[in-house]
Amino acid sequence: MKNNSTKITAFILMAILICACNAVKRVPDGKNLLVKNNILVNGKPTNDEKADNQMYQKPNGTLLGYRLRLNLYNLANLNPDSTYQAKFKNKPGKYERMSKIYSAKQVDRLGQSFYYKGIHEFLKNTGEPPVIIDTSKTKKSLLRLKYYYFNNGFFDVKTDYTIDSVGNKKAQINYNITTGPGYIIDTISTKILSPALDSLYKTNTEPSFVKSGNQYKTSDFEEEKNRITTYFRNHGAYFFQPTYVTFDIDTIGKKNKANVTLVINNNNIQERDSSRTEPFKLYTISDVNIYTDYSAANAKKKPSDSTTYNNFNLYSFKELKYKPRAITDAIFISKGSTFADFRTTLSSRYLNNLKIFNYPSIQYEVDKRDPTAQSLIANVYLTPRKKYSFGTTFDVTHSNIQDFGIGASISETIRNVFNRAETLEISARLNIGSSRDMANPNDNFFNVSEYGLDMKLNFPRILLPFGTEKIIPKSMIPSTQITSGFSKQRNIGLDKENFTGGISYNWSPKRHNTAKLDLLNAQFVRNLNPGNYFNVYTSSYDDLNDIASTYNTEGAEVDTDNNLTIPKGTTQFTSQVLTQQTALRPGDPQYQEVESIEERRIRLTENDFILATSYTFTKTTKKDLADNNFYQFRTKIESAGSLLSAVSAIGNLPKNSRGNYEIFNLEYSEYVKTEFDYIKHWDFGKEKVLAVRSFFGIAIPFGNSNYIPFSRSYYSGGSNDNRAWQPYALGPGSTNAINDFNEANMKIALSGEFRFKIFGDVKGAIFADAGNIWNVLDNVVDEKAKFNNLNDLDEIAIGTGFGIRYDLSFFVIRLDLGFKTYNPAHEKGDRWFKEYNFGHSVLNFGINYPF
């Protein structure tokens, strides 16, 4: 096998070498393949990406220095049809012989098959034709470089180029740039013809992008033009546009310096065949008209219903279906206010957020009733969405629990439920799947199922019995969401019923900041089949059964193979050990292991009631989907059970035999939990991005609890975590994932990923993931699973690997291969690279990037 591998590797290397030597296969005689562009600025090479982007021609792309796509293209037959026909011309009679066997039609179709034509079409389309040096494009590139450096303040720039041969039909282009000294901005003056704008400009306290002492940059002047335009249009200058801002640059009599004059001309008004100018005016809003059911069909009709509310005029072509305040709360343009672009934008955002209108339109017209012609009428055109909409989904899934799953859901959305722009969503879902891990005595393929019903009612305001406008103004686009849900699952054996309900508030303190307050979040989890625990968590059963093979002296029930029966035998033996009816005593390792197994069984089979309050804040600098130079920070704090404990204490309610309060005959969970999540992206250009994520989370039980419910605990591993381990297969601590589904109440994670383009829409990545989970301040007794001090940080696992991604624009398909680089489950000194091989690697499939 080893010899075969060596031969295969040698063959691949030889094939690559042969292809590499034939890179100029399709370069015509007298022409050269472009292998490199060198930009030399004042005799020194530069890595300026913006300068490199001025090139009209760039060399063929490479993968690790190898021109893969070029060589694929060279392998293709560009004229497969002619080659197929020549096959018969060179061998007379062959066509007739084949036609007798297959028929003439089949022989003709054979020439269009993948073997004769398709493979060459694939190679040609996947590959990349050779980039042959074109001097006309070289001259265009040189001219663009000259403009680029000129626009950065090098007014005396000089350029030329040379083409150097570097081999047979291969050459590189040297772009020689001599910049001369950069020009510095000296004095800055203004010439603003409109008195109103001149006064506005003087009151603007925002810092200018054009500053005395800075080197001239055209981009600074463009930024300054936009800054001035934004300021003017937010302070009443309705007709102002960036084209009215110009700059006069004077370098006469100056040595490497430039005087700048900001010039803002008067408004140019076009009237039929002539034009005139007049000073700009500042406009105020005289009326706000809202058309609540506008459409193209009724554009020329007169509204049949109208009302006035808080100086807003509401019109409808049918009966008005909205309470006026529901609409006017979304409009930030008010009668008597100064025209401002930001109010228009904010109104559009709020109206879109209501989700009851399609693409709201806000238009302005000069109010002809005003003799000074300095008033605007704001017309808001709203086109309602359908009151009822129906949706369905269908998907196929795979997870750590399900080998195969089919899911479907139906939903109904009802808009403007109470005539105040509320939205009600009702959905039902059903999932069925197959799991090899589940106890399956009837050998059914679909042995996993879940169904549920959910309801969401959204209010476009803060729903409280007292006003919140001073704390959370409507400019923060607040909303209230009331939710409830029920689900029942038959998964890997325990089977659960899950009831949820809550009320939450959402708002945006700033444009890219969001806040969410879950005032009440209730969850009740009921285990329907707790007696099946050891059929699900088989590793725990195996450990318990091994101990029983030696210490089952009191006759706990066993089967014919002398194994503990489930659940009667396991329950009996555990009880006998913990009540010291066997030879085991609390100091014995086997006693502690039984105690740990029982502690976990109780924790995972007990019913849970959680009543929590949480606050989540998220901040991001990401401007849009194409922005790869940003950071995102999210923090969350959650408290559960404290309100119930306070009420129980005040009411002097009795405690149960374990010293805990109960509600509905069930001990409720009490804990405090906090999380910090930070993501940072650096864009190095040329589709090279470095992404880093750090996460810390901890949940501490107290009062009525000594552990964290499974649904609120942490796990490690998986496609969005440490990719060298499967989900739930890492930790806690150095325990070597002894349980089937390992979780804990503290987590640390750190990931770094360098992303780059391979070719076309195919992207690559190399990554490193670090992290683990631990138990802290709870009832877990296994020292290997606990975090006791900072020395336990040496149990942070490290996984490294590489990934391939295919960008479909609207989402990314991702494959990541992770290798266990540092595994804390091994003994110290034997943790590095112990399992660094394909046999212990983990292949992860994911949609979109992990962070």
Side-chain angles (χ1 to χ4, degrees), residues 634-654:
R634 182 186 69 87
T635 184
K636 178 180 180 179
I637 184 167
E638 177 179 320
S639 175
S642 298
L643 178 62
L644 294 175
S645 290
V647 172
S648 299
I650 293 173
N652 199 26
L653 299 180

Side-chain angles (χ1 to χ4, degrees), residues 593-663:
E593 187 170 356
V594 172
E595 185 179 40
S596 178
I597 291 171
E598 179 63 4
E599 166 269 316
R600 180 173 168 81
R601 186 196 68 80
I602 292 173
R603 180 149 54 96
L604 297 183
T605 59
E606 277 191 337
N607 299 332
D608 292 321
F609 180 73
I610 305 168
L611 184 63
T613 299
S614 67
Y615 173 78
T616 305
F617 175 79
T618 303
K619 179 178 182 179
T620 181
T621 59
K622 190 176 180 69
K623 298 175 183 177
D624 50 48
L625 291 175
D627 186 2
N628 279 318
N629 202 8
F630 70 95
Y631 74 84
Q632 177 180 301
F633 173 74
R634 182 186 69 87
T635 184
K636 178 180 180 179
I637 184 167
E638 177 179 320
S639 175
S642 298
L643 178 62
L644 294 175
S645 290
V647 172
S648 299
I650 293 173
N652 199 26
L653 299 180
K655 295 183 178 181
N656 62 16
S657 59
R658 298 203 300 178
N660 293 330
Y661 292 114
E662 292 184 347
I663 183 171

Side-chain angles (χ1 to χ4, degrees), residues 470-697:
K470 292 183 179 180
I471 304 173
I472 306 176
K474 69 176 186 177
S475 60
M476 293 184 182
I477 314 182
S479 65
T480 301
Q481 189 174 86
I482 299 175
T483 61
S484 65
F486 163 76
S487 66
K488 184 174 182 177
Q489 60 181 225
R490 178 175 175 262
N491 49 30
I492 55 173
L494 289 182
D495 305 338
K496 295 178 183 292
E497 284 183 342
N498 193 17
F499 300 86
T500 59
I503 179 169
S504 63
Y505 305 102
N506 300 269
W507 66 95
S508 299
K510 292 184 179 180
R511 182 69 177 91
H512 296 289
N513 297 356
T514 59
K516 180 180 181 181
L517 174 64
D518 280 304
L519 184 63
L520 291 175
N521 186 327
Q523 181 181 26
F524 172 54
V525 180
R526 187 162 74 100
N527 293 290
L528 303 177
N529 194 10
N532 204 35
Y533 175 82
F534 284 111
N535 283 325
V536 179
Y537 294 88
T538 55
S539 61
S540 295
Y541 172 79
D542 291 340
D543 291 341
L544 187 67
N545 197 49
D546 286 344
I547 298 172
S549 65
T550 303
Y551 295 97
N552 185 15
T553 57
E554 298 300 318
E557 184 177 278
V558 296
D559 60 18
T560 55
D561 295 324
N562 209 35
N563 295 319
L564 293 173
T565 58
I566 300 173
K568 188 174 181 180
T570 54
T571 301
Q572 289 174 344
F573 178 68
T574 301
S575 175
Q576 290 165 6
V577 171
L578 298 182
T579 56
Q580 299 184 31
Q581 297 179 39
T582 68
L584 291 173
R585 293 296 177 263
D588 298 332
Q590 292 88 347
Y591 180 97
Q592 294 173 355
E593 187 170 356
V594 172
E595 185 179 40
S596 178
I597 291 171
E598 179 63 4
E599 166 269 316
R600 180 173 168 81
R601 186 196 68 80
I602 292 173
R603 180 149 54 96
L604 297 183
T605 59
E606 277 191 337
N607 299 332
D608 292 321
F609 180 73
I610 305 168
L611 184 63
T613 299
S614 67
Y615 173 78
T616 305
F617 175 79
T618 303
K619 179 178 182 179
T620 181
T621 59
K622 190 176 180 69
K623 298 175 183 177
D624 50 48
L625 291 175
D627 186 2
N628 279 318
N629 202 8
F630 70 95
Y631 74 84
Q632 177 180 301
F633 173 74
R634 182 186 69 87
T635 184
K636 178 180 180 179
I637 184 167
E638 177 179 320
S639 175
S642 298
L643 178 62
L644 294 175
S645 290
V647 172
S648 299
I650 293 173
N652 199 26
L653 299 180
K655 295 183 178 181
N656 62 16
S657 59
R658 298 203 300 178
N660 293 330
Y661 292 114
E662 292 184 347
I663 183 171
F664 309 126
N665 295 321
L666 177 67
E667 291 183 11
Y668 56 84
S669 298
E670 188 170 10
Y671 61 86
V672 61
K673 181 178 183 180
T674 186
E675 295 178 351
F676 301 93
D677 195 355
Y678 180 78
I679 297 172
K680 177 74 172 102
H681 285 209
W682 290 272
D683 191 342
F684 296 107
K686 298 183 181 179
E687 299 192 53
K688 295 183 178 69
V689 176
L690 175 64
V692 172
R693 181 196 181 195
S694 59
F695 176 88
F696 174 77

Side-chain angles (χ1 to χ4, degrees), residues 716-779:
S716 193
S719 63
N720 294 326
D721 197 71
N722 199 320
R723 285 162 278 187
W725 279 265
Q726 295 281 4
Y728 293 97
L730 173 60
S734 59
T735 59
N736 197 22
I738 58 175
N739 299 302
D740 300 84
F741 297 93
N742 298 277
E743 43 75 45
N745 64 323
M746 188 179 91
K747 178 175 181 177
I748 297 175
L750 178 65
S751 293
E753 181 171 282
F754 183 69
R755 302 165 185 166
F756 51 88
K757 179 179 179 179
I758 297 178
F759 58 81
D761 294 324
V762 179
K763 311 295 173 65
I766 53 175
F767 61 82
D769 301 320
N772 207 336
I773 55 174
W774 293 268
N775 290 93
V776 58
L777 301 175
D778 62 3
N779 63 347

Side-chain angles (χ1 to χ4, degrees), residues 34-41 44-47 52 55 59 142 145 160-162 164 166 171-177:
L34 176 61
V35 296
K36 190 176 183 182
N37 284 322
N38 292 320
I39 302 176
L40 304 172
V41 180
K44 297 180 179 180
T46 179
N47 291 321
D52 185 66
M55 301 293 101
L142 196 67
L145 280 170
D160 66 12
Y161 74 90
T162 58
D164 295 340
V166 294
Q172 64 181 16
I173 304 176
N174 301 315
Y175 293 92
N176 302 304
I177 314 296

